[in-house]
Amino acid sequence: MNVLALEPWFGGSHRQFLDGLAAHSTHDLRAVTMAARYWKWRMQGGAVTLAEKAREACADGWRPDVVVASDMVNLPAFLALSRDWLANVPVVLYFHENQLTYPLREGRERDYTYATVNYLSALVADRVVFNSQFHLGEFFGALPDLLRRFPDYTHIGALPGLRAKSGVLRLGLDLAGLDAARPAAEARRAKEPGPPVILWNHRWEYDKDPEAFFRVMNRLDDAGERFRLVLAGKTFAEQPPAFEAGFRRYAERVLHYGYAESFADYAALLWRSDIVVSTSVHEFFGVSMLEAIHCGCHPLLPNRLTYPELIPERLHSPLLHAPVLYETEDELFETLRAMLRGQSHRLPVEVLREIPADLAWRVKAPRFDAMLAEVAGER
């Protein structure tokens, strides 16, 4: 079966997803992509370029049986520009994130232009797929408020039909690639004994709340607790000041600072770490956290967002090991202090690796293939 994939934001988790699907799918997948920059323009005008590129990609006579597009695609515009040759091809819309509930920087107001693009794209898609149940719930919880902003013809009655064609299918992870870095990383780790390593491996942006992370680190340091840090993640021009202040304070204990240049380098950092912490105020899925868990890092996660869904219920409050989910910043501090003092222990590596095991691409690719074939068959 032929699959045409559209991705105007070919970077980060969007790229990981598409690369992984292309590498493991049994379908013949052709990807049409654009560079991961100017996200607002990608959603407003990217459809013109995608339509041109798609036509070029199929110039040899290849025709898709189904189209899969990310949430950054203005799907109505793309389909209008491609109606002469894609009019009867079904479309799957995959939501990595959405612009209805993505948190804003303090003091900024939401521009509902982009939320409306998401809504209209979902309306025209044959199937709408979210990367987590939490994400699906957030989207449909926010849609009525969006529609009530319209002065008339709100079409609230369209929501049940939209919900009926929507579902959840978690994305795949390159767990094999992480495992490939394990021997070298563990050999290096054996040569650098010391206090436990606490890992930050999220984007260096406001929605991950690095200020809360460093407040807890500073409290631990003030209490005399010994630890080292790995501060990894994609950085941007507007870097939160908490990182620079944290580096100045902990420079001698920082094993890594900044973006890892390759996936192998990134994987090695995960294998060298002991505890991974999230203080996020936004998370529609949690790729980086699941990657760290696979590499044996005990997770400490806020009991909100998608995290309770990702962690098996039996591990929400383990009896013999440190908690995984926390409610407050104080609780995070107390849990970390107990772990650093040896009063509370990490979950065994073999237990941790079970958490993301079904997200390996060898498991997920057949499920995506089956879903795409089902949608193609419905036409």
Side-chain angles (χ1 to χ4, degrees):
M1 190 178 78
N2 295 340
V3 179
L4 178 64
L6 308 175
E7 181 51 79
W9 185 266
F10 193 52
S13 60
H14 289 229
R15 180 168 188 163
Q16 285 181 278
F17 168 73
L18 193 50
D19 283 347
L21 183 60
H24 296 88
S25 174
T26 58
H27 300 319
D28 183 5
L29 187 148
R30 293 192 181 184
V32 174
T33 66
M34 299 172 69
R37 56 177 181 263
Y38 313 128
W39 74 266
K40 291 184 177 181
W41 175 235
R42 292 296 182 262
M43 292 192 72
Q44 288 181 322
V48 179
T49 302
L50 290 175
E52 292 177 350
K53 284 175 168 273
R55 199 177 295 272
E56 292 169 1
C58 301
D60 60 358
W62 185 91
R63 288 294 181 269
D65 298 295
V66 64
V67 173
V68 58
S70 84
D71 56 273
M72 297 290 284
V73 178
N74 186 328
L75 201 49
F78 172 82
L79 293 176
L81 292 164
S82 309
R83 61 184 175 178
D84 58 316
W85 66 288
L86 285 179
N88 296 315
V89 179
V91 182
V92 174
L93 180 64
Y94 193 80
F95 273 96
H96 294 275
E97 65 277 302
N98 77 78
Q99 300 305 318
L100 283 80
T101 64
Y102 201 104
L104 304 175
R105 294 181 186 274
E106 186 176 353
R108 294 191 180 179
E109 294 186 3
R110 191 174 304 279
D111 184 342
Y112 288 94
T113 301
Y114 307 100
T116 303
V117 169
N118 280 165
Y119 165 61
L120 294 176
S121 294
L123 280 181
V124 301
D126 295 88
R127 183 76 61 87
V128 182
V129 182
F130 293 83
N131 55 359
S132 71
Q133 192 66 44
F134 167 79
H135 191 179
L136 182 151
E138 281 264 297
F139 183 78
F140 281 98
L143 265 182
D145 289 336
L146 172 68
L147 299 184
R148 290 190 190 103
R149 291 177 177 274
F150 300 170
D152 59 6
Y153 299 104
T154 59
H155 294 284
I156 291 287
L159 294 184
L162 179 53
R163 179 63 183 84
K165 65 177 181 180
S166 301
V168 174
L169 187 54
R170 296 178 183 176
L171 47 74
L173 299 179
D174 184 10
L175 302 186
L178 294 174
D179 287 340
R182 184 176 187 177
E186 290 188 338
R188 179 173 180 177
R189 178 175 178 146
K191 297 178 182 179
E192 52 181 22
V197 177
I198 299 174
L199 169 67
W200 168 284
N201 65 330
H202 315 279
R203 286 182 287 104
W204 292 21
E205 288 196 289
Y206 65 96
D207 60 303
K208 303 305 180 184
D209 200 1
E211 290 78 9
F213 174 80
F214 283 106
R215 280 197 302 269
V216 173
M217 295 305 105
N218 294 345
R219 289 177 65 185
L220 291 169
D221 191 42
D222 291 342
E225 307 303 336
R226 299 178 65 245
F227 57 88
R228 294 173 293 172
L229 293 171
V230 165
L231 302 174
K234 188 169 181 60
T235 58
F236 300 87
E238 295 184 43
Q239 180 176 306
F243 286 100
E244 185 62 31
F247 181 77
R248 288 197 300 269
R249 178 165 181 166
Y250 301 109
E252 304 170 343
R253 289 173 274 174
V254 175
L255 303 183
H256 175 88
Y257 184 81
Y259 189 65
E261 292 302 320
S262 70
F263 186 76
D265 291 340
Y266 169 69
L269 293 173
L270 304 189
W271 286 112
R272 291 169 66 193
S273 303
D274 299 295
I275 304 166
V276 61
V277 175
S278 171
T279 49
S280 292
V281 296
H282 152 250
E283 195 68 83
F284 288 130
F285 184 68
V287 169
S288 62
M289 188 59 62
L290 288 164
E291 289 171 334
I293 292 171
H294 177 78
C295 294
C297 295
H298 183 104
L300 293 176
L301 314 168
N303 191 17
R304 59 178 187 270
L305 309 173
T306 189
Y307 293 129
E309 169 187 345
L310 297 182
I311 302 299
E313 192 169 347
R314 62 186 174 82
L315 298 178
H316 282 196
S317 300
L319 298 177
L320 302 178
H321 299 88
V324 171
L325 301 174
Y326 66 86
E327 297 290 346
T328 65
E329 195 172 303
D330 285 342
E331 187 177 336
L332 172 61
F333 166 74
E334 295 294 345
T335 300
L336 270 170
R337 183 167 63 173
M339 295 181 75
L340 294 175
R341 291 180 174 180
Q343 299 167 345
S344 187
H345 303 287
R346 298 162 52 202
L347 285 166
V349 173
E350 59 272 18
V351 174
L352 291 168
R353 286 170 63 86
E354 291 175 1
I355 295 173
D358 70 341
L359 299 178
W361 269 116
R362 62 177 176 78
V363 177
K364 298 303 295 187
R367 297 176 187 173
F368 275 95
D369 281 354
M371 182 270 293
L372 293 170
E374 179 184 340
V375 174
E378 291 173 352
R379 280 285 183 97

